């Protein structure tokens, strides 16, 4: 009997994927450039104080 394969995806990775999908859908970026920019976008968003968001 085989065990079900489940992979853990952190909330950061899920958020990163959402931003990356938006960037690839709305720009001509794709693949690694979109992911790299998504990392920068999330980093900037994470530095905005919670009460301002």
């Amino acid at each position: 009997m085989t065990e079900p394969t489940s992979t853990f995806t952190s909330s950061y990775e899920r958020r990163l994927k959402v931003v990356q999908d938006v960037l690839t859908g709305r720009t001509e970026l794709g693949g690694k450039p979109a992911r790299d920019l998504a990392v920068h976008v999330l980093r900037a968003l994470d530095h905005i104080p919670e009460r301002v968001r």
Side-chain angles (χ1 to χ4, degrees):
M1 181 170 189
T2 61
E3 294 182 26
T5 57
S6 65
T7 56
F8 174 76
T9 305
S10 69
S11 61
Y12 174 78
E13 285 295 325
R14 287 191 302 270
R15 291 171 60 223
L16 186 61
K17 178 76 170 109
V18 168
V19 175
Q20 183 178 354
D21 289 347
V22 169
L23 290 171
T24 56
R26 300 283 182 153
T27 67
E28 294 180 5
L29 293 174
K32 184 161 173 32
R35 184 171 177 87
D36 291 346
L37 185 55
V39 168
H40 289 290
V41 168
L42 279 183
R43 194 173 292 150
L45 289 173
D46 286 345
H47 283 86
I48 298 172
E50 188 74 29
R51 60 194 153 130
V52 175
R53 286 192 254 159

